[in-house]
Amino acid sequence: MSTSTTIFITLILAVLTLFTTTNTAEGARTFLVFGDSLVDSGNNNYLPTTARADSPPYGIDYPTHRPTGRFSNGFNLPDLISQHIGSEPTLPYLSPQLTGQRLLIGANFASAGIGILNDTGFQFVGILRMFQQFALFQQYQGRLSAEVGAAQAQRVVNGALVLMTLGGNDFVNNYFLTPVSARSRQFTVPQYCRYLISEYRKILMRLYELGGRRVLVTGTGPLGCVPAQLATRSRNGECVAELQQAVQIFNPLLVQMTRDLNSQLGSDVFVAVNAFQMNMNFITNPQRFGFVTSKIACCGQGRFNGIGLCTVASNLCPNRDTYAFWDPYHPSERALGFIVRDIFSGTSDIMTPMNLTTIMAIDSNLY
């Protein structure tokens, strides 16, 4: 084969590789993430707050084996969803690496410690409340417009998949934070749940105003069953009834609120994710899912490893895949895998009105 022919073939292969890579990047759906520590991928690393996961053993099973700011032993919920939709992980919006064409992948605005209410997580100080996450989202849209033009930026945002995860902290880091809290003096539990839903509705409508057109809205998980609550409120390892009852009031109201919004908007913009049932599946029958326990955290100390923070001085299990909970509050990466499986393939009782596989199929014809 002549030298000129070899060069020609090499150039053709290079062009084809570039074309394929570009098509893959352009074909992947933009993913935008808002919420709390369940979905924070590292924004709090850049903030003056104690609510952070930037030291070992966090990230022990991440590809780099280093802490990233994710409240996980490895990947978190947004990472696993990104993998399923064929996209790169979304970078924290505050990351200096989020520039140029990477803006098209999406962005993660989530901040550990926040809630629906602005007074939730006050003890964590410098975290990104929802109005601040939305301000950064507007800034993101301006940067995206500068990169691809205003019209294309609008199409990207409207066509994005959005994940919103809020609510848990409004119970554990607000209403039930102390035996008698300001909010518990103000509201009964049912009243508080209705108040949270009314405020959450405003947040979701604001997201719609800012361009969100397909939004996964996760309900609150079984807060009474997490190791942190078992350690401090449970006598024999049973789930804490008071918290479980509160969540079971809140979640159906959330589903109904998303239905009402969709009816008002004339489109299935908001999809309710039954995180409570998805978690309860492996909490009530851990062995069926290959876990040795759903009560004891892999990383922690005290009863159920549920006291305090996960630090380098904590007890640490040798095999994270056999524990449903990584730390006192957050599921392990493997447990999150089961949740993501349900998000993509769950029936209408846990994904209302449809699962993410159906959404992706429908939307492939729209965007």
Side-chain angles (χ1 to χ4, degrees):
M1 187 181 292
S2 69
T3 303
S4 59
T5 304
T6 303
I7 292 171
F8 177 74
I9 291 173
T10 303
L11 285 171
I12 291 294
L13 288 172
V15 170
L16 286 173
T17 302
L18 179 63
F19 179 77
T20 304
T21 304
T22 304
N23 264 11
T24 302
E26 290 178 352
R29 189 168 187 173
T30 299
F31 188 29
L32 303 168
V33 182
F34 300 89
D36 58 27
S37 64
L38 290 166
V39 293
D40 183 355
S41 290
N43 280 311
N44 280 21
N45 290 359
Y46 304 93
L47 299 171
T49 177
T50 56
R52 51 205 304 158
D54 59 348
S55 59
Y58 284 98
I60 189 171
D61 298 311
Y62 195 74
T64 60
H65 305 293
R66 296 170 64 89
T68 62
R70 292 164 172 82
F71 287 76
S72 171
N73 57 299
F75 292 120
N76 66 4
L77 185 65
D79 294 328
L80 297 176
I81 291 174
S82 290
Q83 290 173 16
H84 275 71
I85 64 174
S87 180
E88 296 176 37
T90 53
L91 287 169
Y93 184 72
L94 298 181
S95 169
Q97 296 178 320
L98 185 62
T99 58
Q101 291 293 302
R102 283 180 171 173
L103 292 165
L104 289 165
I105 296 167
N108 186 315
F109 303 90
S111 178
I114 75 145
I116 296 165
L117 306 181
N118 287 331
D119 59 294
T120 291
F122 67 91
Q123 69 271 35
F124 301 127
V125 193
I127 50 181
L128 298 174
R129 316 265 172 210
M130 277 313 306
F131 72 91
Q132 293 166 305
Q133 291 188 28
F134 284 158
L136 292 177
F137 181 36
Q138 289 177 283
Q139 188 182 97
Y140 163 85
Q141 293 190 48
R143 293 173 62 194
L144 187 62
S145 294
E147 192 69 30
V148 299
Q152 178 62 11
Q154 188 66 53
R155 283 193 292 271
V156 167
V157 169
N158 290 159
L161 177 67
V162 185
L163 175 64
M164 175 71 77
T165 297
L166 285 175
N169 284 321
D170 294 288
F171 293 101
V172 298
N173 281 309
N174 194 326
Y175 194 93
F176 293 106
L177 180 61
T178 56
V180 181
S181 66
R183 290 297 189 183
S184 67
R185 288 195 299 269
Q186 182 182 9
F187 296 112
T188 64
V189 170
Q191 288 171 341
Y192 184 63
C193 290
R194 288 193 293 273
Y195 176 59
L196 287 179
I197 293 297
S198 68
E199 293 301 302
Y200 206 169
R201 187 182 190 281
K202 297 173 188 174
I203 288 170
L204 294 181
M205 279 306 298
R206 180 59 179 151
L207 179 57
Y208 181 82
E209 290 167 5
L210 292 173
R213 292 296 180 270
R214 190 68 89 181
V215 186
L216 302 178
V217 183
T218 62
T220 298
L223 300 175
C225 302
V226 302
Q229 297 302 321
L230 299 185
T232 55
R233 296 170 181 260
S234 175
R235 180 167 296 178
N236 297 308
E238 71 283 358
C239 296
V240 181
E242 190 177 31
L243 274 162
Q244 291 292 87
Q245 289 163 5
V247 169
Q248 288 174 293
I249 294 170
F250 174 84
N251 283 329
L253 292 174
L254 178 63
V255 173
Q256 188 56 54
M257 183 261 281
T258 59
R259 282 182 174 140
D260 292 345
L261 282 179
N262 289 343
S263 178
Q264 175 186 329
L265 297 170
S267 176
D268 289 327
V269 174
F270 300 105
V271 177
V273 179
N274 189 341
F276 181 90
Q277 189 55 54
M278 292 176 184
N279 280 272
M280 284 305 290
N281 289 339
F282 57 75
I283 285 174
T284 55
N285 193 352
Q287 285 73 29
R288 181 183 158 211
F289 291 83
F291 298 119
V292 296
T293 179
S294 60
K295 297 182 184 296
I296 303 169
C298 169
C299 181
Q301 46 276 315
R303 293 182 75 214
F304 304 104
N305 277 349
I307 303 294
L309 303 172
C310 169
T311 70
V312 71
S314 298
N315 301 319
L316 180 65
C317 68
N319 184 358
R320 275 69 63 187
D321 285 348
T322 61
Y323 282 68
F325 282 94
W326 155 243
D327 69 10
Y329 278 106
H330 304 95
S332 64
E333 179 189 313
R334 185 163 174 271
L336 290 172
F338 293 115
I339 293 172
V340 171
R341 182 188 69 182
D342 287 342
I343 287 173
F344 275 86
S345 61
T347 51
S348 59
D349 58 323
I350 57 173
M351 291 295 295
T352 308
M354 61 189 134
N355 62 40
L356 190 47
T357 298
T358 303
I359 290 168
M360 297 297 286
I362 292 171
D363 292 353
S364 66
N365 298 316
L366 299 177
Y367 301 105

